Amino acid sequence: MRYTKQQWYTPAEVAVHNTPTDCWVSANGKVYDVTNWIADQFKICECAKTCSCPNKNWYCNDCVEYCPCFKRGFFYCDGKRLGMNLLMHAGKDLTYWFKDGDWVRHIHAVTGTKVTYRQHGHGFRDPIGPSTRWRPLCEPWWSGDKYVVGKATAKTRPIRITNTLTGSTVTLEVCSEETIYEIMMRYYPHNSHLMSYTWRYMGKALCLKKTLDENGIPDERERFSDVALAENMHIPAILLYYNDDLTEDPPRSDCFCENVTCMMKRPSGCFKSALS
């Protein structure tokens, strides 16, 4: 079985990446890894500053940075505004920041011009008023696919996977856009020999290239909510029927190589014919 890269992500999977050294956000149906972009934004600030934290890190929680920007009334220096704005929303969906693929705009109270609305203000090199001479220093994180790691699902749903051989059951939260094969990748840590089983629902074999809905596995949570029943009252179950395990490593008696590592990789030139 070939392990494929994950394409769809749930909100819970994005939410766990919420630290300065591992920061993900979702926007407009895409998931972005903005860790390197944030680090570049913090390098822009060249103010001579002192930190009250003994660790001297820009991501301290209980320290105050004293720099010329702080004396002007800003808690964070100008060079960190864009980075802090994104870092404070790490692991969240930021689709409401955009409209038609660009930032939401508002009328500035001082200049009277339409500018992008940013909660913590513009960066110190990003002008508030329009200017034909201004150019961004680096590619914005929301522009292009440089920082894209996957797609954000529009809807998640639970699914139960029951192994009829062992009787074990695992409940997974999957993306509604994922195919059965992609769901198998999520189940892979629980059973690495998936190709030795037939996946069935209500006695019918499933097509691995189709989604749960396309395979006739409905999501009835809305119907339960309409009649005041718990959404998890019934979760559809996929049954795994054991066929034959062809993915097992060969027993030691069948390996004619003296190299112990051949039990894992099994290079073709490692084995000798039993008749020789």
Short mmCIF file of all heavy atoms in Angstrom, two decimals, residues 30 36 40 51 56 63 70 83-84 89-90 102 105 107 117 152 157 234 238 243 251 270:
data_model
loop_
_atom_site.label_atom_id
_atom_site.label_comp_id
_atom_site.label_asym_id
_atom_site.label_seq_id
_atom_site.Cartn_x
_atom_site.Cartn_y
_atom_site.Cartn_z
N LYS A 30 -7.95 27.17 1.99
CA LYS A 30 -6.59 26.65 1.96
C LYS A 30 -5.98 26.70 3.35
O LYS A 30 -6.37 27.50 4.19
CB LYS A 30 -5.72 27.46 0.98
CG LYS A 30 -6.18 27.39 -0.47
CD LYS A 30 -5.26 28.20 -1.37
CE LYS A 30 -5.71 28.13 -2.82
NZ LYS A 30 -4.82 28.94 -3.71
N ASN A 36 7.62 30.29 8.69
CA ASN A 36 8.77 31.00 8.14
C ASN A 36 8.42 32.45 7.81
O ASN A 36 9.27 33.34 7.95
CB ASN A 36 9.27 30.28 6.88
CG ASN A 36 9.82 28.90 7.18
OD1 ASN A 36 10.31 28.64 8.28
ND2 ASN A 36 9.73 28.00 6.23
N ASP A 40 10.32 35.84 9.27
CA ASP A 40 10.86 36.90 8.42
C ASP A 40 10.32 38.26 8.83
O ASP A 40 11.04 39.27 8.77
CB ASP A 40 10.53 36.63 6.95
CG ASP A 40 11.25 35.39 6.42
OD1 ASP A 40 12.27 35.01 7.01
OD2 ASP A 40 10.77 34.81 5.43
N CYS A 51 14.63 43.37 26.66
CA CYS A 51 13.52 42.51 27.05
C CYS A 51 13.62 42.22 28.54
O CYS A 51 14.71 41.94 29.06
CB CYS A 51 13.55 41.21 26.25
SG CYS A 51 12.27 40.03 26.69
N LYS A 56 15.17 36.24 26.75
CA LYS A 56 15.48 37.13 25.63
C LYS A 56 14.94 36.60 24.30
O LYS A 56 15.63 36.58 23.29
CB LYS A 56 16.99 37.37 25.51
CG LYS A 56 17.65 37.82 26.81
CD LYS A 56 17.11 39.14 27.30
CE LYS A 56 17.80 39.59 28.58
NZ LYS A 56 17.24 40.83 29.13
N CYS A 63 6.83 39.13 29.15
CA CYS A 63 7.85 40.16 29.11
C CYS A 63 7.33 41.38 28.38
O CYS A 63 6.32 41.32 27.68
CB CYS A 63 9.13 39.66 28.45
SG CYS A 63 8.96 39.48 26.67
N PHE A 70 7.62 51.30 21.40
CA PHE A 70 6.86 51.20 22.64
C PHE A 70 6.66 52.58 23.26
O PHE A 70 5.60 52.88 23.82
CB PHE A 70 7.61 50.29 23.62
CG PHE A 70 6.92 50.12 24.95
CD1 PHE A 70 5.87 49.24 25.09
CD2 PHE A 70 7.33 50.85 26.04
CE1 PHE A 70 5.24 49.09 26.30
CE2 PHE A 70 6.71 50.70 27.27
CZ PHE A 70 5.66 49.82 27.39
N GLY A 83 3.38 40.36 11.92
CA GLY A 83 3.64 39.04 12.47
C GLY A 83 2.81 38.75 13.69
O GLY A 83 2.25 37.65 13.83
N MET A 84 2.68 39.72 14.60
CA MET A 84 1.88 39.52 15.81
C MET A 84 0.41 39.38 15.47
O MET A 84 -0.33 38.62 16.10
CB MET A 84 2.10 40.67 16.78
CG MET A 84 3.43 40.63 17.50
SD MET A 84 3.74 39.10 18.40
CE MET A 84 2.31 39.00 19.45
N HIS A 89 -3.70 34.86 15.94
CA HIS A 89 -4.80 34.06 15.37
C HIS A 89 -4.30 32.73 14.84
O HIS A 89 -4.90 32.14 13.95
CB HIS A 89 -5.48 34.84 14.24
CG HIS A 89 -6.13 36.12 14.67
ND1 HIS A 89 -5.43 37.30 14.84
CD2 HIS A 89 -7.43 36.40 15.00
CE1 HIS A 89 -6.26 38.25 15.21
NE2 HIS A 89 -7.46 37.73 15.33
N ALA A 90 -3.20 32.23 15.39
CA ALA A 90 -2.62 30.97 14.94
C ALA A 90 -3.60 29.82 15.16
O ALA A 90 -4.25 29.73 16.20
CB ALA A 90 -1.32 30.70 15.67
N ASP A 102 -8.92 39.26 -1.61
CA ASP A 102 -8.07 40.33 -1.12
C ASP A 102 -8.57 40.76 0.26
O ASP A 102 -9.66 40.38 0.69
CB ASP A 102 -8.10 41.52 -2.07
CG ASP A 102 -6.93 42.46 -1.84
OD1 ASP A 102 -6.10 42.17 -0.95
OD2 ASP A 102 -6.83 43.48 -2.55
N ARG A 105 -11.58 45.87 3.21
CA ARG A 105 -11.15 47.27 3.28
C ARG A 105 -12.18 48.11 4.05
O ARG A 105 -13.35 47.75 4.15
CB ARG A 105 -10.93 47.83 1.88
CG ARG A 105 -9.81 47.12 1.13
CD ARG A 105 -9.62 47.67 -0.27
NE ARG A 105 -8.51 47.01 -0.95
CZ ARG A 105 -7.26 47.45 -0.90
NH1 ARG A 105 -6.97 48.57 -0.24
NH2 ARG A 105 -6.30 46.81 -1.52
N ILE A 107 -12.85 52.58 5.35
CA ILE A 107 -12.48 53.97 5.15
C ILE A 107 -11.68 54.43 6.37
O ILE A 107 -12.18 54.39 7.49
CB ILE A 107 -13.72 54.86 4.94
CG1 ILE A 107 -14.54 54.36 3.74
CG2 ILE A 107 -13.31 56.31 4.75
CD1 ILE A 107 -13.78 54.38 2.43
N TYR A 117 -8.17 46.64 6.20
CA TYR A 117 -8.46 46.65 7.63
C TYR A 117 -7.63 45.57 8.32
O TYR A 117 -7.78 44.39 8.04
CB TYR A 117 -9.93 46.38 7.88
CG TYR A 117 -10.27 46.25 9.35
CD1 TYR A 117 -10.30 47.37 10.17
CD2 TYR A 117 -10.51 45.01 9.93
CE1 TYR A 117 -10.57 47.27 11.52
CE2 TYR A 117 -10.79 44.89 11.27
CZ TYR A 117 -10.82 46.03 12.06
OH TYR A 117 -11.09 45.92 13.40
N ALA A 152 -8.54 23.23 3.30
CA ALA A 152 -9.39 23.22 4.49
C ALA A 152 -10.74 22.65 4.12
O ALA A 152 -11.36 23.08 3.14
CB ALA A 152 -9.52 24.62 5.07
N ARG A 157 -17.05 15.06 9.37
CA ARG A 157 -18.06 14.10 9.80
C ARG A 157 -17.37 12.92 10.48
O ARG A 157 -16.24 12.58 10.16
CB ARG A 157 -18.87 13.60 8.60
CG ARG A 157 -18.04 12.97 7.49
CD ARG A 157 -18.92 12.39 6.41
NE ARG A 157 -19.78 11.34 6.91
CZ ARG A 157 -20.62 10.62 6.16
NH1 ARG A 157 -20.70 10.86 4.87
NH2 ARG A 157 -21.36 9.68 6.68
N HIS A 234 -26.03 8.01 16.33
CA HIS A 234 -25.68 6.91 15.42
C HIS A 234 -24.59 7.40 14.49
O HIS A 234 -24.74 8.42 13.81
CB HIS A 234 -26.88 6.46 14.59
CG HIS A 234 -26.51 5.50 13.50
ND1 HIS A 234 -26.09 4.22 13.74
CD2 HIS A 234 -26.48 5.67 12.14
CE1 HIS A 234 -25.82 3.61 12.60
NE2 HIS A 234 -26.04 4.46 11.61
N ILE A 238 -18.05 1.36 9.04
CA ILE A 238 -17.46 0.60 7.93
C ILE A 238 -16.84 -0.66 8.52
O ILE A 238 -16.07 -0.59 9.48
CB ILE A 238 -16.39 1.43 7.20
CG1 ILE A 238 -17.02 2.68 6.56
CG2 ILE A 238 -15.69 0.59 6.14
CD1 ILE A 238 -16.01 3.58 5.86
N ASN A 243 -9.14 -10.80 4.46
CA ASN A 243 -8.98 -11.66 3.29
C ASN A 243 -7.75 -12.55 3.45
O ASN A 243 -7.85 -13.73 3.76
CB ASN A 243 -8.85 -10.81 2.02
CG ASN A 243 -10.12 -10.05 1.72
OD1 ASN A 243 -11.21 -10.51 2.02
ND2 ASN A 243 -9.97 -8.87 1.15
N PRO A 251 9.03 -14.59 7.51
CA PRO A 251 9.62 -15.16 8.72
C PRO A 251 11.12 -15.32 8.58
O PRO A 251 11.64 -15.40 7.47
CB PRO A 251 8.91 -16.51 8.87
CG PRO A 251 8.42 -16.82 7.49
CD PRO A 251 8.09 -15.51 6.85
N CYS A 270 19.34 -9.72 -2.08
CA CYS A 270 19.68 -10.19 -0.75
C CYS A 270 19.38 -11.67 -0.58
O CYS A 270 19.93 -12.33 0.28
CB CYS A 270 18.93 -9.36 0.29
SG CYS A 270 19.12 -9.91 1.98
#
